[in-house]
Amino acid sequence: MTAEPIRAICRGCDAELSTVLLDLGDMPLVNEYPPLDSTADQARYPLKAWVCDACQLVQVTEIVSPEEIFSDYAYFSSYSESWLEHSKRFADWALKEYSLGPSSLVVEIASNDGYLLKEFMAAGIPVLGVEPAANIAKLANEAGIPTQNNFFGLAVAEDLIDTGHPADLVVANNVIAHVPDLQDFTAGLATVLKPGGVLSIEFPHLLNILEKRQFDTIYHEHFSYLSLHSLEPVLNAKGLEVFDVVQIPTHGGSLRVLAQRSDGPLRPAGPGLAEVRAAEKAGGLDRMETYSGYTQAVEGVLDGVRGFLARAKDEGKTVVGYGAAAKGTILLNSAGATPDQVAYVTDLNPHKQERFLPGTRIPIHSPDKIAETRPDYLLILVWNLKDEIMSQMAPIREWGGRFVLPIPQVEVLD
């Protein structure tokens, strides 16, 4: 971690940023997949994560606008079985925990293709999605899930209130990290939420990103890398009060932060709030020295990946990747992986197939190709879904194929 001249202002507390956590150099946009017949070099942009000396919010500066990243998007939540199961569990829990009924309204921010809202609709609960990607919002509406195509913020929230859409439950799961104007976004959340309503925010926990070396979670469309320690003051400043926190396994370990308006009837603090505060303090997230040495830790991971790929090539072994997701793009670009080291990557999402993984010229195919080519190693790039993938791809063992995990260190599984 190095101090550099002032470059930007913290999106959480407006302090000047001067300390770099990790510099990954120039990287492509992780959800921009060139077609296989393209020959042009893909645009790359600086990718540098800073940590705020004042509030310890880890963030990247806004190099690429959200409109460029999200207006036409290739990520569809419905292609992950484990994510759909997680969403159903969340809906079942929220319905029971907060006694939602036909007179309630659930508003989801960044609702994607409606994978979560349809669970509430099935229970007879009115819903409304707000989704920035026009292509995805269109599909959700065609599926009968009411969805506005908008980038959410205070102005959109005020319009929702003016048109009679105050929410009993606001769901902002895995979106807050994608927001460049964090203060405007949280003001919008406070505005659209009814007094007495509940706000649920899920995000990958910074504690795991640091301790488990999950550096491949850092990319341009993730503007912030959050802890309860850094998020709570931002919420408080907009009249929101955290009353509980749940630690969940998604994305390599996430937090579900539950908040309420401070001007409404208040729920008592749940046990998770004190537990996470204590865990973050023990992990040193409130101390700048904790953030030192992250670059060296990441280089250790990358040395392991480079070494594995070089050995496999020298031995004449075939390596293919599973999961053409952001994590894989950042990992393979950071390691300098080439098509002669990773023959191809597979993904269930047909919108990504028969394209290149961003920045690498490594082709993406359907998982069906694995049985056709019988590779020696299957590198699980979406390591947070390793159990789901290893179950789906269990037949590789029939020809002696082996699974490989890259994070937090290279592990070849027997």
Side-chain angles (χ1 to χ4, degrees), residues 14-157:
D14 296 325
E16 293 180 327
L17 296 175
S18 60
T19 304
V20 176
L21 174 72
L22 179 66
D23 187 349
L24 288 171
D26 292 340
M27 287 283 157
L29 298 182
V30 295
N31 278 293
E32 190 176 89
Y33 298 88
L36 292 182
D37 60 0
S38 67
T39 57
D41 290 336
Q42 195 165 1
R44 291 175 177 264
Y45 307 88
L47 182 56
K48 184 181 295 186
W50 305 74
V51 56
C52 177
D53 294 69
C55 72
Q56 288 76 54
L57 176 65
V58 173
Q59 57 206 279
V60 299
T61 50
E62 185 181 349
I63 300 294
V64 186
S65 73
E67 288 78 12
E68 184 172 350
I69 295 174
F70 296 113
S71 293
D72 187 77
Y73 203 44
Y75 177 79
F76 291 80
S77 300
S78 294
Y79 289 110
S80 169
E81 291 180 7
S82 61
W83 188 250
L84 293 179
E85 291 168 4
H86 166 75
S87 301
K88 186 177 188 329
R89 287 193 299 271
F90 171 83
D92 291 344
W93 169 81
L95 286 165
K96 181 183 295 185
E97 185 75 12
Y98 301 118
S99 303
L100 299 172
S103 61
S104 305
L105 176 65
V106 176
V107 172
E108 184 181 11
I109 314 304
S111 51
N112 203 260
D113 55 9
Y115 67 98
L116 173 62
L117 289 180
K118 71 180 182 181
E119 300 291 344
F120 290 101
M121 288 181 67
I125 312 300
V127 303
L128 178 65
V130 181
E131 168 56 45
N135 62 319
I136 298 179
K138 181 175 182 288
L139 290 176
N141 280 307
E142 289 173 351
I145 301 159
T147 304
Q148 288 190 7
N149 177 212
N150 257 323
F151 285 87
F152 183 80
L154 179 57
V156 172

Side-chain angles (χ1 to χ4, degrees), residues 146-211:
T147 304
Q148 288 190 7
N149 177 212
N150 257 323
F151 285 87
F152 183 80
L154 179 57
V156 172
E158 290 174 339
D159 183 65
L160 291 176
I161 294 299
D162 290 344
T163 54
H165 294 94
D168 299 271
L169 173 64
V170 176
V171 183
N173 291 349
N174 295 293
V175 60
I176 197 165
H178 296 263
V179 175
D181 192 339
L182 192 57
Q183 297 183 41
D184 178 75
F185 184 81
T186 50
L189 295 176
T191 298
V192 78
L193 185 66
K194 283 182 182 178
V198 174
L199 166 65
S200 173
I201 305 173
E202 291 182 12
F203 53 85
H205 194 187
L206 177 64
L207 190 63
N208 292 312
I209 293 173
L210 296 177
E211 293 185 346

Side-chain angles (χ1 to χ4, degrees), residues 259-283:
Q260 58 197 339
R261 279 175 50 162
S262 55
D263 62 352
L266 298 179
R267 296 168 178 80
L273 183 57
E275 289 173 6
V276 173
R277 282 174 176 164
E280 291 189 346
K281 188 168 185 61

